[in-house]
């Protein structure tokens, strides 16, 4: 039998080592793929958990915001009723002092005209003259503009008032800049609520505008 030369033996040794190394590399690659698949699965699971957490948190935020809005609405409603009660309690006396001899008042007159709802906070009347009052916690110029439109539309909404002289008044607790002066220029009585009373702050020579 012919002996294998050392060079050939060395080559065969290298080949075997290379084959062994390839097998180990393949094994490592396989293990790495398994590990990668497990990692991908874990990432997917974590992503789903994060999505669910965000969804749950978003729902909780929505419910909290809804609760805050409802609480704010309730507060504003109750505060508005308190303001209306305060103003209405002083209204007849205040208007009488300014030469408008109303003798009765009512709150929350409302109705519908051509599919549109309307509401007047307080109405003071004497059979010939009627004063419509808009009550605001904070009076703004845009509130005055909207109320002036109400006054011009009132006898259309309530034809039974066509023969009466219609005046307007705005009552407030706070006001932004220029709103009270703007209201007076529009011919409206301006009533300021202070503490447990109210007062008309128009100039002494103020003449209200008739909107009918």
């Amino acid at each position: 039998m012919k002996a294998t030369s050392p060079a050939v033996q060395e080559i065969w040794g290298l080949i075997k080592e290379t084959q062994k190394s390839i097998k180990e590399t393949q094994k490592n690659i396989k293990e790495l793929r398994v590990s990668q698949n497990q990692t991908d699965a874990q990432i997917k699971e974590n992503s789903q958990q994060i999505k669910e957490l965000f969804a749950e948190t978003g729902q909780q935020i929505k419910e909290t915001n809804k609760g805050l809005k409802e609480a704010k609405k309730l507060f504003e409603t109750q505060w508005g009723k308190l303001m209306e009660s305060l103003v209405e309690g002083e209204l007849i006396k205040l208007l009488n002092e300014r030469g408008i001899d109303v003798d009765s008042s009512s709150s929350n007159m409302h109705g519908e005209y051509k599919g549109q709802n309307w509401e007047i906070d307080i109405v003071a009347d004497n059979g010939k003259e009627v004063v419509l009052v808009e009550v605001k916690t904070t009076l703004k110029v845009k509130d005055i503009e909207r109320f002036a439109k109400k006054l011009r539309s009132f006898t259309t909404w309530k034809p039974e008032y066509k023969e009466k002289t219609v005046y307007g008044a705005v009552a407030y607790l706070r006001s932004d800049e220029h709103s009270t002066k703007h209201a007076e220029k529009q011919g409206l009585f301006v009533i300021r609520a202070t503490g447990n009373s109210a007062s008309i702050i128009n100039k002494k020579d103020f003449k209200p505008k008739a909107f009918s």
Side-chain angles (χ1 to χ4, degrees), residues 38-119:
Q38 291 175 342
T39 301
D40 290 344
Q42 186 64 49
I43 291 173
K44 186 175 181 180
E45 182 180 349
N46 290 343
S47 296
Q48 182 61 32
Q49 290 176 347
I50 290 171
K51 287 181 181 178
E52 292 174 356
L53 180 60
F54 271 116
E56 182 179 351
T57 303
Q59 183 62 32
Q60 290 175 345
I61 291 173
K62 286 181 181 179
E63 291 176 357
T64 300
N65 288 340
K66 182 179 178 182
L68 290 174
K69 287 180 180 178
E70 289 176 352
K72 180 182 178 182
K73 183 178 181 180
L74 178 61
F75 173 79
E76 290 176 345
T77 299
Q78 296 303 318
W79 183 257
K81 289 180 179 179
L82 178 62
M83 281 281 294
E84 289 176 15
S85 177
L86 171 61
V87 173
E88 188 176 1
E90 301 278 336
L91 185 61
I92 291 176
K93 176 177 73 69
L94 293 175
L95 292 174
N96 288 170
E97 291 173 353
R98 290 297 183 117
I100 308 296
D101 296 324
V102 290
D103 52 26
S104 64
S105 66
S106 59
S107 59
N108 191 29
M109 178 185 286
H110 60 277
E112 181 181 338
Y113 182 78
K114 292 186 177 180
Q116 296 294 321
N117 294 322
W118 58 268
E119 180 178 356

Side-chain angles (χ1 to χ4, degrees), residues 11 31-32 34 43 46 56 63 66 93 113 117 120 123-124 145-146 160 164 166 170 182 186 189 196 202 210:
I11 290 172
E31 291 175 350
L32 181 61
V34 172
I43 291 173
N46 290 343
E56 182 179 351
E63 291 176 357
K66 182 179 178 182
K93 176 177 73 69
Y113 182 78
N117 294 322
I120 304 296
V123 178
E145 296 298 326
R146 290 170 183 165
E160 62 267 35
K164 297 182 181 182
V166 178
V170 288
H182 184 65
Q186 294 295 313
F189 286 108
N196 60 352
N202 299 76

Side-chain angles (χ1 to χ4, degrees), residues 15-49:
I15 291 173
K16 289 180 180 180
E17 287 295 328
T18 301
Q19 289 176 336
K20 181 179 179 182
S21 178
I22 290 172
K23 287 181 179 180
E24 289 178 352
T25 300
Q26 290 175 335
K27 180 181 178 182
N28 290 338
I29 290 173
K30 186 176 181 180
E31 291 175 350
L32 181 61
R33 285 175 177 170
V34 172
S35 177
Q36 182 64 46
N37 289 338
Q38 291 175 342
T39 301
D40 290 344
Q42 186 64 49
I43 291 173
K44 186 175 181 180
E45 182 180 349
N46 290 343
S47 296
Q48 182 61 32
Q49 290 176 347

